Amino acid sequence: MAEARQWGGTTFGNELMHRWLIKLLRVVDTRLIYLFTYVFIVPPTLFSPGFGHAYRFFRERFGYSKLHSLTMAFKNHCMFSQVVIDRFAMYAGRKFKIEFEGYDHFLDLTSKPDGFVQLSSHVGNYEIAGYSLVAEAKRFNALVFFGEKQEVMDNRTKLFTHTNIHMIPIKSDMSHLFEINNALSNGETVSIPADRIWGSQKYVVKNVLGRDAYLPKGPFQVVAMRGVDVLAVHVVKTASKRYKIIVKPLPYDKEAPRKQQIDEIAQRYVDELERIVRLYPTQWYNYFDFWAQHRDEKEQDGN
């Protein structure tokens, strides 16, 4: 797979910047920091590859005019800056009001002895789900990028200290697959991002917003191999200090052949992803070549 379609997953800035931002957010209103980023941080990104991808997203997938696409791409980057600031605001001890949609589906699965999978995407601020959708009866295992900044990992660990949350770093040696399998065998919850190629380069191709795109095969394969229930969970920002967690069950035929199960789960996931993205188009932070280019049938069959 082309390098441009892989996702690094690391937070911008160095550890010193992160420490100072956390200290600042303990005394300064987040909205003032938002304004600072709009004026000094976001404008330079107009010339970045990521901004170009965002612009083409609105121009090609939504059919907006050039000016409207440019405006929406700018708003998208402003929203992303808010999400990053909110994440550090949580590290600084700030709280956000959380609204739930479909929470009963989550509670139903946590009340059962079997493990289950939550499929996420890079929409809104999914990290908040890790702090909010936690049941004492089930350990919550969240896959995280192994190359993330140490300051970010340390602060996540601090927030997780008094919770039933465990982080599983995604590693090149694929050892995270053993942890996922063990967690599900123990009846725990596993949260996996499903809109980025990570670890294994195996993929499934699905039409997303009118064009074929590559999705990682691993998350859907894990669900099918274990025969567990699966939820799609998205967290969107609805106000400066408010988020909404949207939980959607993804039913599939557990008696069907494995390949059909994987395809069905992937399609259900894409259907929900498209629904959320259409409702909150500026909150999908998709700054790389997500959509598929032409590939010959031989390469396609190999995956």
Side-chain angles (χ1 to χ4, degrees):
M1 171 157 298
E3 191 68 26
R5 297 191 189 95
Q6 297 181 27
W7 181 252
T10 183
T11 303
F12 174 79
N14 57 44
E15 293 181 18
L16 180 61
M17 291 172 59
H18 294 169
R19 286 196 292 270
W20 275 105
L21 180 57
I22 292 170
K23 291 179 181 179
L24 189 64
L25 285 165
R26 289 181 179 137
V27 295
V28 177
D29 193 302
T30 55
R31 289 169 291 188
L32 292 177
I33 308 298
Y34 294 165
L35 183 60
F36 175 84
T37 62
Y38 301 162
V39 176
F40 296 104
I41 305 299
V42 175
T45 67
L46 290 170
F47 307 99
S48 69
F51 192 92
H53 288 306
Y55 170 81
R56 286 188 293 275
F57 167 67
F58 293 109
R59 184 84 173 109
E60 298 173 5
R61 305 276 63 80
F62 282 83
Y64 295 156
S65 68
K66 293 181 180 179
L67 180 59
H68 190 39
S69 296
L70 188 66
T71 301
M72 292 294 282
F74 183 79
K75 289 181 178 179
N76 169 263
H77 277 59
C78 288
M79 288 298 298
F80 183 61
S81 69
Q82 287 188 32
V83 164
V84 173
I85 291 165
D86 290 350
R87 185 182 303 165
F88 283 92
M90 289 189 293
Y91 300 157
R94 295 294 183 94
K95 303 294 184 182
F96 293 88
K97 293 182 179 179
I98 308 296
E99 176 187 358
F100 294 94
E101 179 182 311
Y103 188 46
D104 55 321
H105 299 300
F106 174 79
L107 292 177
D108 178 57
L109 292 184
T110 57
S111 68
K112 298 177 180 178
D114 298 328
F116 67 94
V117 170
Q118 288 184 194
L119 296 181
S120 66
S121 63
H122 290 74
V123 171
N125 190 353
Y126 182 72
E127 190 162 326
I128 283 184
Y131 310 123
S132 306
L133 285 179
V134 179
E136 292 300 322
K138 281 187 184 291
R139 192 186 198 192
F140 184 96
N141 298 271
L143 263 71
V144 295
F145 179 59
F146 181 67
E148 181 58 277
K149 300 292 195 309
Q150 189 59 46
E151 185 70 17
V152 173
M153 294 298 289
D154 289 345
N155 279 287
R156 283 174 176 169
T157 301
K158 289 177 183 177
L159 284 176
F160 293 161
T161 298
H162 303 294
T163 67
N164 202 17
I165 300 174
H166 171 65
M167 289 183 288
I168 301 178
I170 300 171
K171 298 182 180 180
S172 58
D173 63 3
M174 307 303 287
S175 59
H176 55 275
L177 296 179
F178 294 101
E179 288 201 60
I180 292 172
N181 185 64
N182 289 337
L184 292 174
S185 296
N186 293 332
E188 300 171 5
T189 306
V190 177
S191 175
I192 308 176
D195 64 340
R196 297 288 187 269
I197 299 293
W198 48 265
S200 169
Q201 295 301 295
K202 292 184 178 181
Y203 60 88
V204 294
V205 179
K206 284 294 174 184
N207 185 287
V208 182
L209 296 171
R211 188 179 177 187
D212 284 349
Y214 293 118
L215 295 172
K217 187 176 184 179
F220 315 117
Q221 198 168 31
V222 166
V223 174
M225 288 180 65
R226 299 290 311 184
V228 296
D229 289 322
V230 56
L231 302 173
V233 178
H234 293 93
V235 184
V236 293
K237 189 174 176 71
T238 57
S240 61
K241 297 182 180 180
R242 187 184 296 271
Y243 280 89
K244 183 177 184 179
I245 299 179
I246 304 170
V247 181
K248 178 79 172 182
L250 305 180
Y252 65 99
D253 185 356
K254 296 181 181 179
E255 302 300 322
R258 183 72 50 78
K259 184 177 181 180
Q260 182 179 325
Q261 290 184 44
I262 292 171
D263 183 75
E264 189 175 345
I265 298 164
Q267 187 60 57
R268 296 275 188 175
Y269 170 79
V270 167
D271 291 344
E272 178 63 5
L273 176 63
E274 285 188 325
R275 186 181 76 86
I276 297 297
V277 171
R278 290 186 187 280
L279 289 172
Y280 305 93
T282 61
Q283 294 197 48
W284 193 19
Y285 309 120
N286 188 41
Y287 304 134
F288 74 121
D289 186 12
F290 177 75
W291 277 271
Q293 303 297 326
H294 173 73
R295 285 191 169 204
D296 59 43
E297 289 299 322
K298 182 177 180 181
E299 185 179 0
Q300 186 81 298
D301 291 343
N303 285 274

